């Protein structure tokens, strides 16, 4: 949460930082701020979006400076307002800082600083930190880099910080613990950001700070990277970015979410590329091949994740148990990390994450590692913290997901688990060769089937218009489609603010049925494969209570058509792969309902894309 951009070099910093902040707005968007130094320090900040901030920089004079930093905020300490927005400036007016994270022990530090005469304008932990750094500089008579290091050894919490001193405007200092920071390396210039998107058009050379590392960056010099705790010097590992500019632009779509829904056939192809090889009867996953014995001897898999990624884990449970006969447990990482989970020698822990930065999932991995678990990550963002902390894994290759509501990340995560489960099923002999071949060719056909599913778009717009004023909604599915129901409900509530619940269809009778009346839309996944007849009975129960039924059915279905108010057809597939198709109409329904309600689809209220605080 919170996006950070910094620049030091020969160019004007303002356009780089403001455009960078727009790209990072998915990380938080309740307030924004930007500081530049030319002859003097100029900083402005405001409640609201980066576009509101841009308006504040009116004159050419305002925008001058070849060093600067900016921030887009998702509030943790202190309400979103102008004063609490970053950057924060130290009491002397010399140091300026932006921060992503939480300083947990800021209260006692603030008290000590108050006793020493410091004053505070905001309610933030960040203003405490910048003054602590200043205090260390003065007390210890050290430069900014050393002071940052000493101060950070006093704080407890999580942070990515970027700070500079207006009296020494040729250097920027940054540090990380728990929140990401990337450094783009140009010719005599450096770009700093929470991820690489703000500098992709300027340089492909980047490095990522690891936890407990800090960097001192000066124009024209190699970055000085150190371990915060013991001052050990670290040799930078510079990597070439694979991302391109058009991947992070809207490409003619009105919203990133719609673009990302429509990208699914292509990104699913990317997920399978070089891995699903039907002509060789093969699924190649180097992560599994390199640790095959671990997987073949696994007594259990424990999937951990949050939100949509947790839903993908639930689909994974059905896939691994059905195909490879490996017992699976699925846990919210936020729960897992604070239990004392029992992890045995032959367990495999599988974190699932789009961003690779979710704080709870990272902490859960660290706990599992302490218990000697083997960690196999399923992640989208290459080089992010979760894969770096894991022993092995598979990237989903969904490309940058910018809409806050996760769409293509989910289907690609499910695709990775389908590949893994099928590969292991073959290795373990838990399915016959003819079943394996059938599943493999079905998997290979998924991109075309998703393309076909997307053709329901126009009809879905009509359905969405019909239900745009609903205040509640129920989503029902059974078996593999129960997690799809959960995901459908999450998508609707997060972007349209309609209250929605997902349930296993048969559970409806145990409570939620009391809610059903003529105003309640009930979205039911009623595809032919699976417990079709049972779901039809559930539909009858809804109908006799006058609920409105919107059913996702298999192409050509007649039975449900006669019962439901609206039916949306998806191509036929095996039950195990239905989630890859049934999810798509639910994504589109949520999208259009939110658009008709005038909601900010890509940046729903109170949310942030990457939850780097617990
Ligand atoms: C929902 C959504 C969130 C994320 C969750 C986990 O649309 O985007 O629920 O799925 O915050 O994030 P990652 O996958 O980045 O760990």
């Amino acid at each position: 949460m919170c996006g950070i951009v910094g620049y030091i070099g020969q160019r004007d910093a303002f356009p780089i930082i403001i455009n960078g902040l727009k790209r990072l707005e998915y990380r938080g968007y309740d307030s924004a701020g930007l500081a530049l130094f030319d002859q003097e320090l100029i900083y402005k900040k405001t409640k609201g979006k980066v576009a509101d901030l841009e308006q504040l920089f009116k004159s050419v004079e305002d925008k001058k400076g070849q060093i600067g930093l900016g921030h887009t905020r998702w509030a943790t300490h202190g309400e979103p307002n102008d004063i609490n927005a970053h950057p924060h400036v130290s009491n002397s007016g010399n140091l300026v800082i932006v921060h992503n994270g939480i300083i947990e022990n800021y209260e006692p530090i603030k008290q000590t600083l108050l006793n020493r005469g410091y004053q505070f304008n905001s309610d933030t932990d960040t203003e405490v930190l910048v003054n602590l750094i200043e205090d260390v500089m003065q007390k210890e008579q050290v430069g900014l880099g050393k002071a940052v290091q000493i101060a950070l050894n006093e704080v407890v919490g999580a942070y990515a910080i970027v700070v500079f001193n207006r009296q020494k405007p040729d250097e920027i200092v940054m540090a990380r613990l728990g929140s990401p920071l990337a450094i783009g390396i140009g010719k005599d210039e450096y770009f700093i950001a929470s991820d690489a998107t703000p500098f992709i058009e300027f340089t492909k050379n980047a490095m990522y700070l690891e936890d407990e590392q800090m960097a001192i960056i000066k124009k024209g010099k190699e970055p000085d990277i150190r371990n915060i705790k013991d001052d050990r010097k670290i040799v930078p590992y510079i990597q070439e970015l694979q991302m391109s500019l058009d991947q992070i632009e809207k490409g003619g779509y009105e919203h990133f979410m719609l673009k990302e829904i429509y990208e699914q056939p292509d990104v699913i192809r990317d997920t399978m590329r070089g891995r699903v090889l039907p002509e060789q009867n093969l699924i190649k996953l180097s992560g599994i091949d390199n640790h095959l014995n671990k997987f073949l001897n696994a007594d259990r898999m424990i999937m951990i994740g949050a939100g949509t990624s947790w839903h993908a884990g639930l689909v994974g449970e059905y896939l691994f148990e059905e195909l490879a006969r490996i017992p699976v447990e699925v846990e919210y990482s936020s729960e897992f990390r604070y239990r004392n989970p029992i992890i045995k020698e032959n367990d495999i822990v599988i974190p699932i994450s789009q961003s690779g930065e979710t704080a709870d999932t990272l902490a859960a991995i660290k706990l599992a590692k302490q218990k000697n678990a083997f960690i196999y990550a399923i992640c989208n963002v290459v080089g992010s913290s979760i894969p770096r902390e894991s022993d092995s894994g598979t990237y989903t290759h969904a490309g940058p997901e910018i809409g806050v509501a996760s769409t293509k990340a989910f289907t690609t995560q499910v695709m990775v688990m389908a590949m893994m489960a099928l590969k292991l099923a073959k290795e373990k002999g838990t399915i016959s060769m003819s079943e394996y071949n059938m599943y493999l060719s079905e998997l290979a056909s998924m991109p075309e089937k998703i393309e076909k599913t997307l053709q329901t778009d126009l009809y879905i717009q009509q359905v969405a218009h019909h239900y745009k004023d609903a205040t509640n909604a129920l989503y029902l599915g059974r078996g593999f489609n129960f997690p799809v129901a959960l995901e459908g409900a999450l998508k609707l509530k997060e972007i349209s603010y309609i209250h929605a619940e997902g349930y296993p269809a048969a559970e409806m009778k145990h409570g939620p049925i009391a809610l059903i009346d003529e105003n309640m839309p009930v979205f039911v996944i009623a595809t032919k494969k699976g417990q079709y007849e049972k779901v039809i009975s559930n539909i009858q129960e809804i109908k006799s209570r006058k609920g409105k039924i919107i059913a996702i059915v298999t192409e050509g279905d007649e039975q449900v058509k006669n019962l439901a108010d609206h039916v949306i057809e998806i191509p036929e597939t095996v039950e195990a792969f239905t989630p890859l198709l049934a999810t798509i109409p639910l994504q589109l329904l949520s999208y259009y309902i939110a658009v008709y309600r005038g909601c900010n689809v890509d940046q729903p209220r109170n949310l942030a894309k990457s939850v780097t605080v617990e």
Side-chain angles (χ1 to χ4, degrees), residues 306-309 352-356 358 404-406 413 490-491 494 611:
T308 291
S309 295
I352 305 171
S353 176
Q354 186 287 127
S355 62
T358 300
V404 164
S406 197
Q413 287 163 347
L490 178 64
K491 280 301 80 94
E494 67 182 332
V611 184

